[in-house]
Amino acid sequence: MFGREADAAWTHACWRAGLAAFGLGVVFSMIAARIIWGRMAASLRFLALAAIAQVLASWSSRPRLTGALALVTFALLLWLVGGALLVLHPQDPVRTATSVAIQLTFAASFAIATGLTSWTVLALRPRPLPAAQR
């Protein structure tokens, strides 16, 4: 797994874009997060550990190590942030909302965030060298 250079490069691009999207989400939610500090503390711990993993991956030229660090980072996200307690927040506020406008707003926000993250992956994707530089 992740033995080919192209696979590792795509994995690294997805990893960097996902981490950037998560980081922006943390920054934009910091005001509300003062109320739900447990989730914010877990998010900040994750960002610190993920940044360290990114630096380690950038120092390595081994695709398998880069892929393994990406998988460990994803598992860490699920463990640290997914296990944080929800405080003062309903379990599923969007789907249980009675307002269609609220549901559409969140759906549009998700679509925009997914589109921007996908665009970031494409911007970070590996590019083949021109024939003159090979």
Side-chain angles (χ1 to χ4, degrees):
M1 183 165 75
F2 302 112
R4 292 186 352 197
E5 291 287 330
D7 292 342
W10 275 101
T11 300
H12 200 241
C14 290
W15 182 22
R16 289 171 59 196
L19 183 58
F22 183 84
L24 286 172
V26 170
V27 169
F28 289 135
S29 66
M30 285 185 97
I31 294 170
R34 288 183 55 171
I35 298 169
I36 53 171
W37 179 248
R39 177 66 60 100
M40 179 54 62
S43 295
L44 293 174
R45 278 193 299 273
F46 167 75
L47 282 174
L49 293 171
I52 292 168
Q54 281 279 320
V55 169
L56 291 174
S58 70
W59 289 346
S60 173
S61 61
R62 297 172 51 198
R64 288 183 191 271
L65 178 62
T66 299
L69 284 171
L71 288 175
V72 167
T73 303
F74 181 68
L76 193 63
L77 171 66
L78 294 177
W79 180 58
L80 285 176
V81 179
L85 295 174
L86 292 173
V87 180
L88 300 174
H89 203 282
Q91 188 66 18
D92 192 358
V94 176
R95 281 194 284 195
T96 58
T98 56
S99 169
V100 175
I102 289 174
Q103 293 175 336
L104 289 176
T105 299
F106 278 92
S109 298
F110 179 77
I112 290 168
T114 301
L116 288 173
T117 303
S118 299
W119 176 81
T120 303
V121 168
L122 291 175
L124 295 173
R125 76 185 184 278
R127 292 175 181 80
L129 290 174
Q133 292 182 352
R134 286 187 212 161

